[in-house]
């Protein structure tokens, strides 16, 4: 049987607090969505369809292009997005998965497919481990924990069944696909899920395994990272320097991953919100914006809070373009923008030896660590 997979990526993920769709935010040096797509890039999956909002369509398409994956425009709700994708699939079995669950294992995907073949559906879920209560201010009822599950994805069905369920659902909105299947087809079958298969919801979920920022008396250390995928173009902008390349970086602004990483490092060290709060991608005035101007604004915000950067340590991972001859100009430009002396700015550029998102030549990732001095403390 032919198996299709639908990856839901049309949301915004506003609770994560990024300046963009959380699936485009960096996770271990690549967009979170890329990690999810890699998990489904297995022989048992014959076709993958990804849903995208209109505003993210170009960037998501650039991430999916190396996989040969089709992207379809989603709707105002997850239900509408999945319905649009179901019209495009050609498989006998379909798995529907949240793009924000990149830690799903191949074993769980295969178990879901087998459950569909044996029972008609397969809904990944894990047993509740905490006591669960029903409450409206006061606890009104304690629920039997032994019969409670936390529903995950993927969720698998015979394509004809889930398509029929969605057609009968009309315009009603559901939180997941098993609810639609259960209402119009039959009771869905549970597949024992995995606790590691978490959904990326908050920014802290993206920092799993990374040390927290450290604050010291009179000083603070900040860390930032940014990643963008390549699209059609002929130059990239890094640290404000335009560098010839056979691609460009797809982003709402000018796609300067170095400056974006620097800005997030500065803001995180100051304990402030990230660049998405100050420069939202929903504001058209920041479309194609010069990131250098935004960095100057961040420096101004820090000074208002009595903080100033004293050094920058930057690492750029890129297979292309070659950056060695541009680093001195990049340092000089960052010095002008931030006020940090050139000798206190370090920029290292390297490849990923053909490994991962960057190594496959799909985009560029930048990391930045910064030390801030509390000028109010030192006076």
């Amino acid at each position: 049987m032919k198996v299709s997979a639908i990856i839901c990526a049309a949301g915004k993920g506003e609770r994560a607090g990024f300046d963009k769709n959380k699936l485009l935010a960096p996770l271990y040096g690549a967009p979170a969505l890329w990690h999810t797509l890699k998990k489904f890039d297995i022989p048992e999956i014959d076709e993958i369809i990804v849903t995208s909002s209109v505003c993210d369509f170009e960037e998501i398409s650039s991430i999916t292009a190396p996989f040969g994956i089709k992207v379809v425009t989603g709707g105002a709700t997850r239900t509408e997005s999945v319905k649009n994708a179901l019209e495009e699939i050609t498989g006998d079995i379909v798995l529907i998965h949240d793009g924000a669950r990149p830690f799903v294992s191949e074993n769980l995907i295969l178990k879901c497919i087998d459950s569909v073949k044996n029972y008609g559906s397969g809904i990944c879920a894990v047993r509740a481990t905490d006591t669960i209560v029903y409450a409206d201010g006061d606890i009104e009822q304690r629920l039997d924990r032994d019969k409670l599950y936390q529903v995950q994805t993927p969720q698998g069905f015979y394509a004809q069944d889930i398509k029929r369920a969605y057609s009968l659902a009309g315009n009603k909105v559901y939180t997941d696909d098993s609810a639609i299947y259960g209402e119009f087809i039959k009771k869905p079958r549970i597949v024992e899920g995995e606790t590691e298969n978490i959904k990326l919801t908050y920014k802290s979920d993206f920092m799993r395994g990374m040390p927290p920022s450290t604050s010291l008396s009179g000083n603070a250390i900040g860390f930032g990272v940014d990643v963008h995928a390549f699209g059609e173009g002929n130059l990239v902008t890094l640290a404000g320097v335009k560098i010839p390349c056979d691609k460009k970086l797809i982003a709402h602004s000018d796609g300067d991953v170095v400056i974006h990483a620097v800005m997030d490092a500065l803001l995180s060290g100051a304990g402030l919100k990230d660049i998405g709060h100050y420069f939202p991608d929903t504001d058209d005035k920041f479309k194609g914006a010069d990131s250098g101007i935004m960095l100057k604004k961040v420096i101004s915000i820090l000074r208002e809070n009595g903080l100033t950067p004293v050094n920058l340590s930057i690492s750029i991972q890129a297979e292309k373009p070659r950056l060695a001859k541009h680093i001195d100009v990049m340092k000089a430009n960052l010095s002008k923008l931030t006020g940090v002396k050139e000798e206190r700015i370090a920029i290292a550029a390297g490849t990923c030896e053909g490994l991962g998102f960057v190594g496959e030549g799909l985009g560029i990732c930048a990391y930045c660590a910064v030390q801030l001095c509390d000028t109010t403390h030192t006076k």
Side-chain angles (χ1 to χ4, degrees):
M1 286 188 174
K2 184 176 180 179
V3 180
S4 300
I6 294 172
I7 308 298
C8 301
K12 294 298 293 181
E14 293 177 345
R15 285 180 291 178
F18 291 109
D19 63 321
K20 53 188 172 184
N21 182 341
K22 64 183 177 183
L23 296 185
L24 303 176
L27 176 71
Y28 308 146
L33 177 61
W34 182 82
H35 292 283
T36 304
L37 298 178
K38 289 289 283 187
K39 293 298 181 65
F40 281 82
D41 188 25
I42 57 176
E44 291 80 7
I45 303 294
D46 301 287
E47 170 187 66
I48 302 175
I49 305 290
V50 175
T51 66
S52 170
S53 64
V54 173
C55 64
D56 294 330
F57 198 90
E58 183 182 10
E59 193 163 354
I60 285 180
S61 294
S62 69
I63 296 170
T64 61
F67 297 94
I69 293 172
K70 183 173 184 178
V71 183
V72 301
T73 304
T77 65
R78 183 186 186 280
T79 304
E80 290 180 15
S81 296
V82 172
K83 192 172 184 178
N84 290 351
L86 285 170
E87 295 176 358
E88 302 293 332
I89 65 166
T90 59
D92 306 291
I93 291 173
V94 59
L95 304 187
I96 305 172
H97 187 67
D98 295 327
R101 292 186 187 271
F103 304 112
V104 62
S105 71
E106 180 178 340
N107 182 57
L108 189 57
I109 293 170
L110 298 182
K111 283 168 59 178
C112 188
I113 294 172
D114 288 341
S115 181
V116 175
K117 293 178 178 178
N118 293 323
Y119 303 104
S121 62
I123 312 302
C124 298
V126 293
R127 291 182 181 274
T129 57
D130 297 322
T131 297
I132 308 296
V133 300
Y134 178 81
D136 184 11
D138 299 321
I139 294 177
E140 298 183 12
Q141 182 181 357
R142 294 184 180 272
L143 306 178
D144 184 356
R145 185 172 62 189
D146 293 336
K147 295 181 180 179
L148 294 177
Y149 286 80
Q150 295 171 270
V151 176
Q152 302 177 327
T153 65
Q155 299 184 5
F157 314 91
Y158 280 115
Q160 61 182 10
D161 289 339
I162 195 65
K163 285 182 178 181
R164 179 170 178 268
Y166 265 87
S167 67
L168 294 172
N171 295 323
K172 188 176 178 181
V173 176
Y174 296 79
T175 58
D176 77 326
D177 312 288
S178 66
I180 302 175
Y181 181 87
E183 182 170 338
F184 297 104
I185 307 300
K186 64 179 181 180
K187 292 181 179 179
R189 180 79 176 190
I190 288 288
V191 172
E192 191 66 38
E194 298 169 345
T195 55
E196 296 82 4
N197 184 25
I198 69 163
K199 186 175 183 180
L200 299 171
T201 304
Y202 302 103
K203 181 172 284 189
S204 58
D205 296 328
F206 288 73
M207 304 299 288
R208 297 198 340 162
M210 294 185 181
S213 297
T214 303
S215 292
L216 305 172
S217 178
N219 296 277
I221 296 172
F223 176 77
V225 59
D226 193 40
V227 63
H228 285 299
F230 282 131
E232 296 302 317
N234 55 18
L235 64 83
V236 296
T237 302
L238 300 176
V241 180
K242 297 188 183 302
I243 303 170
C245 184
D246 63 353
K247 298 286 185 181
K248 74 172 183 179
L249 293 172
I250 304 299
H252 183 69
S253 63
D254 59 7
D256 193 327
V257 291
V258 174
I259 287 184
H260 295 173
V262 170
M263 287 194 290
D264 260 340
L266 293 168
L267 291 167
S268 72
L272 300 172
K273 295 182 179 180
D274 72 0
I275 58 177
H277 174 75
Y278 300 98
F279 314 104
D281 65 356
T282 53
D283 192 332
D284 287 340
K285 73 181 180 182
F286 298 119
K287 187 168 181 61
D290 182 337
S291 294
I293 295 175
M294 294 191 286
L295 176 54
K296 287 183 177 179
K297 175 63 176 177
V298 169
I299 294 296
S300 176
I301 293 170
L302 261 61
R303 287 173 179 162
E304 290 172 3
N305 285 269
L307 293 165
T308 187
V310 295
N311 78 327
L312 298 172
S313 178
I314 299 162
S315 177
I316 308 170
Q317 293 184 327
E319 295 295 317
K320 58 183 178 181
R322 295 298 181 183
L323 300 176
K325 65 182 181 181
H326 302 287
I327 286 178
D328 287 343
V329 181
M330 293 163 67
K331 289 175 61 174
N333 200 41
L334 286 174
S335 178
K336 292 176 183 177
L337 292 170
T338 63
V340 178
K341 295 178 180 179
E342 282 189 52
E343 57 266 30
R344 301 301 301 275
I345 299 175
I347 300 179
T351 69
C352 287
E353 302 296 335
L355 301 175
F357 176 79
V358 171
E360 293 176 18
L362 304 179
I364 297 177
C365 182
Y367 301 87
C368 177
V370 60
Q371 183 179 12
L372 302 177
C373 177
D374 185 343
T375 55
T376 62
H377 181 86
T378 57
K379 287 181 180 179

